[in-house]
Amino acid sequence: MAEITLRNIRKSYAKTEVVHGVDLDVAAGEFIVILGPSGCGKSTLLRMVAGLESITEGEIELGGRVVNQLEPRERGCAMVFQNYALYPHMTVGQNIGYSLKIAGVPRAKRDERVGKVAASLGLEDFLDRRPAQLSGGQRQRVAMGRAMIREPKVFLYDEPLSNLDAKLRVAMRIEIRKLHQRLGTTTLFVTHDQVEAMTLADRIVVMNKGVVEQVGSPAEIYRRPETTYVANFIGSPGLNLIAATADPDKGKVTLPDGQQLSYDTKRWPDVGYGPVTAGFRAEAVRLAPGGITGSFEFAEELGSGKLMHCNFSGHTLIAHAFGDKAFQQGAAVSFQIDPSAVHLFDAETGKRLAEADGSAMAPEPRKAIAATLSV
Amino acid sequence: MIERAPVLDFITQAILVLSLVALLMPLWVVFVAASHDYQTVNQVPMPLWPGSHLFDNLSAAWAAGNFDRVMLNSVIVAVGVTAGKICIAALSAFSIVYFNYRLRMLLFWLIFITLMLPLEVRIVPTYAVAANALGPFEAILNAVGISIHLPEWNLLNSYSGLILPLVATATGTFLYRQFFMTIPDELAEAAKMDGSGPLRFFFEVLLPLSKTNMAALATIMFVWSWNQYLWPLLIVTDHANYATATMQLQKVVPGPLFGAPPIWNTAMAANLIVLTPPVLVTILLQRWFVRGLISTDK
Ligand SMILES: Nc1ncnc2c1ncn2[C@@H]1O[C@H](COP(=O)(O)OP(=O)(O)O)[C@@H](O)[C@H]1O
Ligand SMILES: [Mg+2]
C-alpha cells in the first residue's frame, strides 16, 4: 500500500507558482530521493508533506489519510533540517527527548528511550553536552536522533549532508542507509547532489523548475533518461547531446557538419525523418580511427582515466578515455560510438523517443581500453 | 586594524584617560562632599580628599529623606517597570515576528512611531488618563453612540499609576524583534515538528535563548525607570507614602531654614544612597550578560 501519495500538488507564493502539479506514490518502506538543482522546489514539496507549508492545490495522503488540513505533529512525520536546527540551550539528551517531553511521557520512560536512541547513534557519551560543543557530524546525529525517537511513519530529510565536509558526508550517507535498513521507515530525502541520490535511493524523483522530470531507480535514470534535462543532469559528465537529423532508412543521424552517427534501428523503430537530439555517454565513446572526428581541446585527469573535451562542429563533446596517450590542442581525434549506446530525443520537447519493447534496460557498454589517435 | 603609530596611540590614550577623569570627577566630588562635616564642606575651596564623616552623613541623610520608605517605593517601581517592559516587549515582538496577520506591519510601525513620543511630550494627556483610566473608553463608547457611565478609576498616588504609564516600550519591542529575527526559522519549524505549540515555543525556546538580550534590556530599563523624575513628581501628591528616591533628593538639598546654606554633605550622602541600586544592578547584570555572550551556547 502506498505510504505517501501526492496528487497534483501545486504551490504558489503570492502569484508565482513554484511547484507545478506533482504526482507521486511512495510504497511503505521505500527510500525516495528528490533530486534537482537549487531553487527547483524540492524543499517546498518536502515542507508541504511535513505540514510546514500550506498546500495551494492538490492532495497529500499519508498512510491512506488526507493530511492537507492536519498540523505537523498530527502527520506522523519527522524531519531533519539542513542546518540541524537543534535547540542551542538544551543538552543533547534534552534535544532528543523534547518531543517526548511535550507529549507528556514521564521522565523515567523518556530517559530510557533517549538512552536507547543515543546508543544506537553512538551519542551515549555526549548526552550532557550542548550542541555548540559538538562536531558537525555529531550534531547531524543528534538531529537524526530527535527524528528517530518519535518513531515516525515517515522520515523527511532536507539536504541533511550539505553542511558536512566531503569525507564525513560519505560516512553519514552510509549511516543513513544503514539506519534505513534497520528501521525500514519510509523516507523522503531531498538533495541536489546526484551521488547522494544514486547511492541512497530506491527510487529517484528528478525535479526541474517545479516539475517532476522522471521517477525511477538510479540505474533506470542513468541508463534511460526520459528527457534531455535528466540526461544532462545525471552522470558526471552528463550525456553528450547533439542536434542532428535522423535518417531511419540508413539507421543514421546526420550531425550539423555532415558527419554521420549510426543508431540501433531495432531499438528505435518509429523514428521519422527530421530533427532529433542525439545523445551518448562519455563512457560509451571509444577513441578509434574511422569514426566521427573532432578537434581536441583539453583533458581533465581523473586518475582512473581522463575526460577529453573535444570540439565537434561547435558542440563540446566529452569522452572518457583510458591510457596515457597525450594530445596536442587542436589535434584531430576520431571517435567510435557503439550504435546501441546512442539515445534519441525529440528535438523540440526534449522527450525521449519511443523505443521497442524489451530494450528499456539495455546496458551501457563499458568502453574499451585502447585509445588511438587518427588523423 | 593593526597599525604602528606611537604618536597617534599616545594621543588616543590621553583622550581616553582625560574623558575618564572628566567623567569620574563629579562622582569623586560627591563622594568627598559626603564624607565631611557641615563646616568643612562649606569651606572655599572645598577639600579634595575624603574626610571621616561618611557614615554619619549617610545615616543623617537616610533619616532626613525617609529613605526606609522611598527606597522601597523606588525598588517596587523600577522592578515593576522593568519586568513589565520586558514582558510587553517580548510578547509584542513574538507576535510581530512569528505570526502572520493582516495588520502586522501597521502595528509594528505604530509601536515604532511611539519612539517619537516619549512621556515628556505626552505628559498632559497621560496625566489625564491616569486621573481617570476608564475615561478614554467611556469617550469612545459615547462617540459610537453607546451612552454609558463607567466608574472612575484613578491611578494617582498608587504604584500602578507610577508603573503602568511607563511600561509601554518601543525600544524593547524593537530590540526583541531584531533578536527574534536572528533566530533561524528552522528552529520554530523543528519545534512545530516536535509537537510544540506557539506558547510553549515562546517560553521554552525563545525566552531561554534571549537571556542575554533580556539582561541588557533589564539593565537599561532599570536604570531608566529608577531615574524617572518628572512623572512621579506629577502623579504623587501623597509624598509620605508614594515618593520615590529621586523625588526625595530635592527635599534633602535645602537647609532647614529659608536662606540658610544648603546642607551639602547630607545631600551628597543622599545622592550616594540613591545612585547605589542602579550601579549595583548594572554591575550585576553586565557580568551576567557578558558571560552569556562568551559562553558558546549559540
Ligand atoms: N517563502 C517564500 N516566498 C516566496 N518564494 C519562495 C519562498 N520559499 C521558496 N520560494 C521560491 O520557491 C522556489 C523553490 O524554492 P525551494 O523549494 O526552497 O527550492 P530548493 O529546495 O529546490 O532549492 C524558489 O524559486 C524560491 O525562490
Ligand atoms: Mg532547499
Side-chain angles (χ1 to χ4, degrees):
Chain A
M1 194 193 78
E3 184 70 38
I4 309 173
T5 306
L6 308 186
R7 267 188 230 109
N8 191 29
I9 295 300
R10 290 171 187 276
K11 175 71 189 177
S12 306
Y13 289 110
K15 289 242 153 55
T16 339
E17 194 173 82
V18 296
V19 174
H20 312 289
V22 169
D23 291 287
L24 185 68
D25 274 303
V26 179
E30 235 184 338
F31 198 116
I32 296 286
V33 174
I34 302 174
L35 174 66
S38 164
C40 73
K42 314 179 291 288
S43 299
T44 307
L45 193 62
L46 196 73
R47 292 157 49 79
M48 282 193 280
V49 176
L52 296 172
E53 204 79 70
S54 65
I55 301 160
T56 310
E57 207 183 308
E59 254 181 2
I60 296 183
E61 262 180 30
L62 295 177
R65 183 168 64 130
V66 176
V67 297
N68 284 37
Q69 302 304 328
L70 294 188
E71 288 290 314
R73 62 166 166 250
E74 300 164 321
R75 296 192 181 192
C77 302
M79 184 151 171
V80 176
F81 296 86
Q82 176 173 353
N83 62 6
Y84 321 129
L86 302 177
Y87 309 115
H89 60 297
M90 296 186 195
T91 64
V92 168
Q94 289 167 333
N95 261 287
I96 296 178
Y98 191 52
S99 61
L100 298 186
K101 185 180 165 198
I102 292 174
V105 177
R107 173 124 210 175
K109 186 95 189 296
R110 204 159 80 208
D111 287 348
E112 185 196 321
R113 274 175 70 184
V114 169
K116 258 188 210 155
V117 166
S120 76
L121 292 165
L123 290 168
E124 315 90 310
D125 298 335
F126 304 103
L127 281 177
D128 292 325
R129 292 216 197 157
R130 296 280 174 84
Q133 301 162 308
L134 299 178
S135 70
Q138 289 164 341
R139 283 183 216 180
Q140 183 63 67
R141 276 197 217 113
V142 177
M144 280 160 63
R146 191 171 64 176
M148 277 163 65
I149 199 156
R150 300 178 45 205
E151 297 173 354
K153 288 205 286 296
V154 176
F155 268 132
L156 306 170
Y157 292 92
D158 193 353
E159 311 218 14
L161 306 181
S162 304
N163 287 358
L164 302 176
D165 61 53
K167 258 221 156 80
L168 205 51
R169 203 177 306 165
V170 175
M172 287 307 294
R173 204 165 78 199
I174 293 168
E175 276 194 40
I176 289 177
R177 184 75 226 189
K178 280 188 185 154
L179 182 73
H180 181 252
Q181 272 177 353
R182 187 151 51 85
L183 303 177
T185 311
T186 315
T187 304
L188 285 186
F189 185 105
V190 160
T191 180
H192 63 264
D193 182 284
Q194 56 161 310
V195 180
E196 257 168 44
M198 289 297 214
T199 50
L200 282 172
D202 292 327
R203 282 193 301 155
I204 298 178
V205 176
V206 184
M207 277 187 77
N208 177 32
K209 295 183 184 153
V211 174
V212 170
E213 293 267 341
Q214 184 170 0
V215 181
S217 72
E220 260 168 12
I221 291 213
Y222 180 82
R223 292 186 191 157
R224 205 174 158 280
E226 282 297 339
T227 63
T228 49
Y229 178 82
V230 177
N232 195 254
F233 189 70
I234 301 287
S236 101
L239 207 72
N240 290 301
L241 292 170
I242 300 180
T245 314
D247 180 347
D249 286 344
K250 294 209 194 99
K252 286 180 191 286
V253 291
T254 309
L255 306 175
D257 63 352
Q259 301 196 68
Q260 289 190 317
L261 198 61
S262 304
Y263 68 88
D264 184 352
T265 45
K266 288 207 197 73
R267 186 174 177 185
W268 312 91
D270 304 328
V271 178
Y273 289 91
V276 291
T277 303
F280 47 88
R281 293 246 166 239
E283 294 89 324
V285 178
R286 209 151 32 89
L287 288 171
I292 56 178
T293 51
S295 69
F296 176 77
E297 283 179 335
F298 62 89
E300 292 177 83
E301 186 60 59
L302 297 178
S304 61
K306 52 190 155 202
L307 293 179
M308 295 177 50
H309 290 242
C310 302
N311 191 313
F312 187 77
S313 70
H315 291 276
T316 294
L317 189 153
I318 303 171
H320 191 158
F322 295 93
D324 297 327
K325 189 91 192 169
F327 295 88
Q328 292 289 322
Q329 194 190 352
V333 195
S334 172
F335 306 109
Q336 294 267 10
I337 297 154
D338 191 321
S340 69
V342 173
H343 304 248
L344 296 177
F345 300 92
D346 189 295
E348 262 170 38
T349 62
K351 288 239 156 63
R352 190 180 186 83
L353 294 179
E355 287 165 273
D357 293 342
S359 57
M361 289 286 284
E364 289 284 337
R366 192 66 200 159
K367 68 180 303 294
I369 302 223
T372 8
L373 176 73
S374 75
V375 182
Chain B
M1 196 166 64
I2 299 171
E3 246 181 274
R4 286 218 42 87
V7 179
L8 205 67
D9 277 1
F10 176 77
I11 294 174
T12 47
Q13 299 275 344
I15 292 177
L16 203 68
V17 169
L18 282 178
S19 338
L20 190 68
V21 169
L23 197 78
L24 289 181
M25 201 58 203
L27 282 176
W28 179 250
V29 172
V30 168
F31 177 68
V32 170
S35 67
H36 285 290
D37 59 20
Y38 183 65
Q39 276 74 27
T40 326
V41 88
N42 280 307
Q43 282 169 12
V44 181
M46 197 189 93
L48 277 179
W49 289 109
S52 54
H53 296 269
L54 180 63
F55 293 102
D56 301 341
N57 290 334
L58 284 176
S59 60
W62 190 277
N66 187 21
F67 276 110
D68 279 340
R69 180 67 201 229
V70 297
M71 285 297 262
L72 182 68
N73 285 348
S74 266
V75 168
I76 291 173
V77 170
V79 168
V81 170
T82 306
K85 273 181 185 283
I86 289 177
C87 285
I88 289 204
L91 273 173
S92 55
F94 179 55
S95 149
I96 285 167
V97 175
Y98 283 95
F99 293 84
N100 217 336
Y101 47 95
R102 210 181 297 163
L103 297 178
R104 187 166 70 137
M105 280 330 274
L106 178 74
L107 284 180
F108 174 67
W109 285 111
L110 278 179
I111 292 175
F112 197 68
I113 282 170
T114 63
L115 267 182
M116 286 185 265
L117 300 171
L119 185 70
E120 289 75 10
V121 175
R122 54 186 165 84
I123 197 141
V124 172
T126 308
Y127 184 86
V129 173
N132 182 9
L134 297 179
F137 298 101
E138 195 178 307
I140 291 173
L141 289 176
N142 288 341
V144 297
I146 304 168
S147 188
I148 195 168
H149 190 73
L150 295 174
E152 190 173 301
W153 181 29
N154 166 347
L155 297 178
L156 306 179
N157 288 320
S158 69
Y159 289 122
S160 26
L162 281 165
I163 294 172
L164 292 181
L166 299 181
V167 154
T169 169
T171 325
T173 303
F174 192 67
L175 241 141
Y176 256 101
R177 172 180 178 262
Q178 296 311 91
F179 170 72
F180 287 158
M181 296 209 316
T182 65
I183 290 183
D185 291 345
E186 280 87 351
L187 213 57
E189 290 174 349
K192 244 190 235 173
M193 295 300 288
D194 274 345
S196 158
L199 274 184
R200 187 186 275 273
F201 175 67
F202 179 71
F203 284 113
E204 292 185 1
V205 179
L206 286 182
L207 282 191
L209 285 178
S210 72
K211 269 193 308 211
T212 58
N213 204 48
M214 209 186 282
L217 196 63
T219 316
I220 299 166
M221 294 310 175
F222 185 89
V223 173
W224 178 85
S225 51
W226 184 272
N227 289 338
Q228 279 303 309
Y229 182 62
L230 185 57
W231 180 250
L233 207 56
L234 203 64
I235 197 169
V236 172
T237 47
D238 177 5
H239 286 210
N241 286 320
Y242 291 106
T244 61
T246 36
M247 280 169 71
Q248 204 68 353
L249 273 180
Q250 51 145 358
K251 297 217 178 117
V252 192
V253 178
L257 295 167
F258 188 71
I263 314 173
W264 284 122
N265 52 340
T266 341
M268 291 301 140
N271 248 330
L272 282 185
I273 294 171
V274 173
L275 65 79
T276 304
V279 168
L280 282 183
V281 164
T282 309
I283 292 173
L284 220 75
L285 286 191
Q286 169 172 319
R287 280 187 50 187
W288 203 63
F289 81 66
V290 168
R291 196 184 324 144
L293 292 182
I294 296 168
S295 88
T296 47
D297 58 20
K298 255 256 169 98

